[in-house]
Amino acid sequence: MRLARIAHPGGVAFASVEGDGDDAQVLEIAEHPFGTPNFTGKRWPLADVRLLAPILPSKIIAVGRNYAKHAAEFGNEVPTSPMTFIKPSTTVIGPNAAIKRPGDVGRIDFEGELAIVIGQPIKNVSAARASSVILGYTVANDVSARDLQKSDGQWGRAKGYDTFCPLGPWIETSIDASDLALRTEVDGELKQDGRTSDLVHKIPELVEFVSGVMTLLPGDVILTGTPEGVGPIVDGQQVSITIEGIGTLTNPVQAL
């Protein structure tokens, strides 16, 4: 199932996306998408609604240097255990919403990533049980103020500006995410071309590690890391990140 969050003529709702192309429709879900969804019977053509960020997490836990070639392109070693940091919930935006570039931060970079969406309250979940607590997967862009990341030494400010975590276009609940192609394009030019099979710390390990540190709530997001090829984006450009079997997340870049 493709779970989306939409703005429709009557308001905002979760929905299931069915079909493709011009025939795609969204079926409204009552209340929340966790567990077995209850449908209201309302539906619209996908073209007649606006896709929002598919989930509003209470927290986003990101994993750094989780692709060996990405660590190497910045001259870093691969951590022996997952290296995590938190992005605030206010970084989240949806498809086609603008990444707002603050004028005083220097270089900002795109980072295309696979995002894990948690489906239930969890703590201390083993890797063997990780798949049972995952709602699904979506596409993310871990936008980063690179100059601040280097100067600050810790990443809270560099990763935490409003709009610095686009998510979307929806959550795919029925997919094996262990070996998916991940491609990032800027204005149509290919920048990243990786596979999730190259993750150093795999998805079950990440769920075990993060849930061993903190309680995860339904809708919380784990960003799994980015492949090599990250680079700067400037005002007027457009970033599109595609993950095989999930979809494409596109966002323009604008000055704040």
Side-chain angles (χ1 to χ4, degrees):
M1 180 182 293
R2 289 174 291 174
L3 291 172
R5 190 169 146 267
I6 61 169
H8 60 74
V12 172
F14 288 103
S16 172
V17 181
E18 297 190 354
D20 295 294
D22 294 339
D23 296 327
Q25 293 196 328
V26 292
L27 284 63
E28 186 182 49
I29 294 172
E31 298 178 348
H32 59 74
F34 305 106
T36 302
N38 294 315
F39 293 94
T40 67
K42 296 179 181 178
R43 64 172 63 210
W44 301 271
L46 179 59
D48 290 350
V49 303
R50 180 164 57 92
L51 289 172
L52 307 173
I55 203 72
L56 295 177
S58 75
K59 53 189 172 293
I60 303 134
I61 303 92
V63 181
R65 301 174 189 168
N66 202 26
Y67 286 81
K69 289 182 179 179
H70 170 62
E73 72 181 338
F74 283 96
N76 297 310
E77 299 293 328
V78 175
T80 56
S81 60
M83 182 176 70
T84 60
F85 57 93
I86 290 181
K87 293 173 78 82
S89 60
T90 46
T91 58
V92 172
I93 56 173
N96 302 310
I99 298 167
K100 298 295 183 69
R101 186 187 184 284
D104 59 349
V105 301
R107 169 176 162 173
I108 69 166
D109 282 14
F110 61 85
E111 293 190 6
E113 308 204 8
L114 174 74
I116 304 165
V117 183
I118 300 299
Q120 58 187 267
I122 61 169
K123 184 73 169 74
N124 294 322
V125 170
S126 68
R129 200 167 68 83
S131 62
S132 69
V133 303
I134 295 173
L135 175 65
Y137 303 89
T138 191
V139 185
N141 188 351
D142 177 21
V143 182
S144 306
R146 196 66 74 197
D147 294 346
L148 298 182
Q149 187 178 4
K150 292 178 181 178
S151 65
D152 288 0
Q154 56 79 37
W155 301 355
R157 183 164 66 132
K159 303 278 192 172
Y161 281 91
D162 292 354
T163 76
F164 272 26
C165 190
L167 295 176
W170 40 63
I171 299 164
E172 176 56 65
T173 66
S174 304
I175 195 169
D176 178 355
S178 61
D179 185 23
L180 302 176
L182 189 162
R183 296 164 60 90
T184 302
E185 296 181 348
V186 177
D187 290 343
E189 181 181 351
L190 182 64
K191 298 293 187 179
Q192 291 183 290
D193 189 4
R195 301 196 69 87
T196 58
S197 54
D198 291 329
L199 287 168
V200 176
H201 303 291
K202 307 300 185 183
I203 291 167
E205 180 186 352
L206 296 179
V207 173
E208 178 178 81
F209 183 86
V210 175
S211 71
V213 175
M214 66 191 76
T215 298
L216 296 174
L217 302 177
D220 281 352
V221 167
I222 300 174
L223 304 185
T224 58
T226 194
E228 67 175 322
V230 302
I233 45 179
V234 298
D235 307 345
Q237 290 188 313
Q238 181 170 275
V239 185
S240 294
I241 303 163
T242 301
I243 298 182
E244 177 185 8
I246 300 176
T248 299
L249 170 66
T250 297
N251 298 92
V253 183
Q254 294 180 3
L256 183 62

